[in-house]
C-alpha cells in the first residue's frame, strides 16, 4: 500500500489534531504517500485558524485521489465524508455505547477502527456490524521519556493531573479524595494542569469551592500552553500522575506520564485498561456504571464509570507512604510505554490496509 487520504483536523488544540499529525507523519516515514485532507472545512480556511505543521502543509500539495483508500479520523457522525475506494472510519468515545447516528454511518464503511479492544467491543455491542479493529494510538517517545534525576520538592509527594475541564475527568472526585487522604500540614502537593475552552466556565472558582479550607496544598496551571518538552518535564517532576476519569477513549496524558517514568492512578475502565495495570501503575476501581452527563448530546442514554473515592484515598496514601514502590512502578511503566510508539501505530495501520486490500 503506497497511497492514502487521511481526513481529520490538523490545526486545532484537540486530541484528534495532535494524534492525526503524528499518525500522518509516521505513515509518511514508512513510505506511505499520505494526502492530509481537512475534515471540517477547506484546507485554506482551517489553516488560517491556527498554526499548521509545515510538514503537513507540504503533504497537502499532493493531488487528491479518489481511487485510493481513505480514512476519516474524527467524530463518528462525519464518516459519511469518506469518498475513497476503500472507506475506513476511525473514532473513539468514552461511554458505554455509540450514538445511533454514529452506528448508522459506521455501517456504511468498509471497516471501522478504534484505539482499544475495549472500544472495539463497545462498538459491536452498540450495533456496528461492519468489521471493527483496534488500531492503537501512540506517544512521542523522543519527547516523553525518562530523564535525569527529577527536579522535585524532595520533602513532598507530588501528585499531578492534566486534563481539559469537565465533569468527565473526575476532578470533583479527585479533590474529595485528596482532602480526605491528607491533612493541610502533610508534605504533599496536588498540581492541576487545567485547560478550559468554554467561554462561560470558571474552573478556578469551582475548584476553590470544591476544595474548601483548610485543605492540603493544591497548585493550578490554568490555560497554560506547554510545548511537549515542557510537559515532559512536568511529568518527570511528579511522583504520581492521577486522573479519576469517568470515561476515556484512550487517555494520552496517562500514557505520556508513564513514558516519562511516572506511574499513574487512572480509573480501570475504558481505554486506559489497554496499557495500565497493577505492574506499571495503580488501576482505580469504579464503583459502578452510572448515567453519563446528558448535557453532552453524544452521551444521551449512555453510561460511564463512577470512580471509587474511597479506593482513590487508599491509593493516594499508598503512593505517599511508599515512594520507592511508586518509582519502581514508574520504571516499569516507562519500559511498557516503549511498545506504544507512533511508529508502531503506523505499522498497525499499514498491516490493516494491506490485509484489506
Amino acid at each position: 500500500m503506497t497511497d492514502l487520504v487521511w481526513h481529520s483536523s490538523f490545526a486545532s488544540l484537540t486530541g484528534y489534531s495532535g494524534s492525526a499529525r503524528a499518525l500522518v507523519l509516521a505513515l509518511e516515514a514508512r513510505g506511505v504517500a499520505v494526502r492530509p485532507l481537512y475534515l471540517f472545512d477547506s484546507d485554506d480556511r482551517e489553516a488560517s485558524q491556527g498554526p499548521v505543521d509545515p510538514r503537513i502543509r507540504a503533504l497537502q500539495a499532493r493531488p487528491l485521489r479518489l481511487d485510493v483508500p481513505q480514512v476519516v479520523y474524527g467524530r463518528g457522525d462525519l464518516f459519511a465524508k469518506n469518498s475513497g475506494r476503500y472507506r475506513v472510519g476511525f473514532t473513539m468515545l468514552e461511554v458505554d455505547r455509540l450514538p445511533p447516528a454514529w452506528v448508522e454511518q459506521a455501517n456504511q464503511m468498509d471497516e471501522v477502527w478504534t484505539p482499544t479492544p475495549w472500544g472495539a467491543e463497545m462498538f459491536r455491542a452498540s450495533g456496528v456490524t461492519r468489521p471493527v479493529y483496534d488500531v492503537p494510538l501512540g506517544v512521542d517517545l523522543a519527547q516523553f521519556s525518562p530523564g535525569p534525576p527529577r527536579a522535585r520538592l524532595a520533602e513532598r509527594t507530588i501528585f499531578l493531573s492534566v486534563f481539559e475541564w469537565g465533569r468527565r475527568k473526575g476532578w470533583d472526585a479527585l479533590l474529595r479524595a485528596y482532602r480526605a487522604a491528607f491533612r493541610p500540614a502533610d508534605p504533599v502537593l496536588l498540581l492541576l494542569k487545567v485547560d478550559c475552552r468554554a467561554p462561560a466556565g470558571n474552573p478556578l472558582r469551582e475548584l476553590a469551592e470544591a476544595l474548601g479550607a483548610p485543605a492540603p496544598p493544591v497548585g493550578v496551571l490554568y490555560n497554560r500552553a506547554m510545548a511537549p518538552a515542557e510537559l515532559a518535564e512536568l511529568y518527570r517532576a511528579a511522583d504520581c500522575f492521577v486522573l479519576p476519569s469517568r470515561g476515556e477513549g484512550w487517555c494520552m496524558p496517562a500514557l505520556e506520564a508513564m513514558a516519562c517514568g511516572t506511574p499513574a492512578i487512572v480509573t480501570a475502565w475504558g481505554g486506559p485498561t489497554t496499557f495500565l495495570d497493577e505492574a506499571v501503575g495503580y488501576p482505580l476501581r469504579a464503583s459502578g456504571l452510572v448515567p453519563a452527563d446528558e448535557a453532552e448530546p453524544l452521551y444521551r442514554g449512555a453510561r460511564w464509570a463512577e470512580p471509587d473515592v474511597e479506593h482513590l484515598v487508599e491509593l493516594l496514601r499508598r503512593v505517599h507512604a511508599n515512594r520507592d514502590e511508586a518509582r519502581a512502578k514508574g520504571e516499569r511503566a516507562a519500559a511498557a510505554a516503549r511498545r506504544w510508539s507512533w511508529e508502531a501505530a503506523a505499522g498497525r495501520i499499514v498491516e490493516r490496509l494491506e490485509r484489506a486490500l
Side-chain angles (χ1 to χ4, degrees):
M1 188 202 75
T2 58
D3 295 273
L4 178 67
V5 172
W6 190 280
H7 295 254
S8 195
S9 166
F10 299 95
S12 65
L13 298 174
T14 64
Y16 277 118
S17 280
S19 51
R21 289 192 299 270
L23 287 169
V24 164
L25 294 173
L27 286 165
E28 178 71 15
R30 291 185 68 96
V32 179
V34 187
R35 202 314 190 161
L37 183 65
Y38 278 99
L39 183 56
F40 302 106
D41 211 326
S42 71
D43 289 8
D44 291 340
R45 179 166 179 179
E46 180 152 345
S48 71
Q49 295 175 352
V52 179
D53 189 308
R55 295 170 294 177
I56 296 293
R57 191 186 296 279
L59 296 179
Q60 289 175 309
R62 288 178 169 153
L64 179 59
R65 296 177 54 183
L66 300 181
D67 60 338
V68 301
Q70 291 187 13
V71 175
V72 168
Y73 179 55
R75 295 196 323 262
D77 55 352
L78 298 169
F79 285 178
K81 292 181 178 289
N82 197 320
S83 57
R85 175 172 67 88
Y86 190 85
R87 297 180 297 170
V88 177
F90 190 2
T91 193
M92 68 199 84
L93 200 62
E94 47 278 328
V95 290
D96 71 340
R97 58 173 289 181
L98 294 178
W102 288 33
V103 174
E104 180 181 0
Q105 293 198 29
N107 286 332
Q108 297 171 18
M109 299 295 100
D110 291 294
E111 63 182 71
V112 179
W113 299 345
T114 193
T116 68
W118 172 85
E121 181 57 35
M122 184 267 283
F123 281 28
R124 297 184 191 105
S126 298
V128 176
T129 57
R130 304 303 297 161
V132 182
Y133 300 96
D134 57 286
V135 174
L137 301 182
V139 63
D140 185 349
L141 295 173
Q143 294 282 358
F144 299 100
S145 60
R150 298 166 181 160
R152 60 154 60 102
L153 300 173
E155 74 280 6
R156 291 184 181 272
T157 301
I158 301 176
F159 298 96
L160 171 67
S161 194
V162 177
F163 57 94
E164 183 177 352
W165 185 251
R167 183 169 174 266
R168 176 170 67 87
K169 296 298 184 175
W171 62 266
D172 54 325
L174 175 56
L175 291 188
R176 288 200 309 272
Y178 181 66
R179 182 165 183 173
F182 305 114
R183 296 167 298 181
D186 284 341
V188 294
L189 172 66
L190 175 61
L191 183 57
L192 308 176
K193 184 184 181 304
V194 180
D195 293 308
C196 180
R197 303 189 187 103
N202 193 334
L204 296 180
R205 182 179 63 195
E206 292 188 56
L207 287 168
E209 291 175 350
L211 187 64
V218 175
V220 181
L221 296 170
Y222 181 54
N223 278 354
R224 178 177 169 182
M226 284 188 170
E230 293 177 298
L231 189 55
E233 285 297 328
L234 192 63
Y235 289 131
R236 295 184 193 115
D239 293 283
C240 186
F241 178 85
V242 54
L243 188 68
S245 178
R246 293 180 167 92
E248 296 287 340
W250 178 251
C251 200
M252 187 66 73
L255 185 57
E256 290 173 344
M258 289 170 57
C260 289
T262 302
I265 299 172
V266 180
T267 309
W269 187 80
T273 58
T274 300
F275 52 79
L276 189 140
D277 58 27
E278 288 279 359
V280 299
Y282 302 89
L284 169 63
R285 288 195 300 264
S287 59
L289 297 184
V290 298
D293 187 354
E294 294 202 353
E296 168 54 67
L298 296 179
Y299 298 164
R300 288 174 185 164
R303 299 178 299 171
W304 58 20
E306 188 60 33
D308 186 325
V309 173
E310 291 186 2
H311 188 219
L312 181 53
V313 170
E314 294 174 13
L315 293 177
L316 293 172
R317 288 174 173 166
R318 176 176 168 183
V319 171
H320 179 53
N322 300 277
R323 292 170 72 176
D324 288 343
E325 177 194 68
R327 280 191 285 272
K329 282 182 181 281
E331 291 173 2
R332 294 193 294 271
R338 303 298 301 177
R339 67 175 292 200
W340 303 108
S341 68
W342 288 115
E343 292 75 17
R348 170 65 170 156
I349 290 170
V350 170
E351 173 195 5
R352 208 28 268 135
L353 291 175
E354 285 180 343
R355 288 178 177 270
L357 301 175

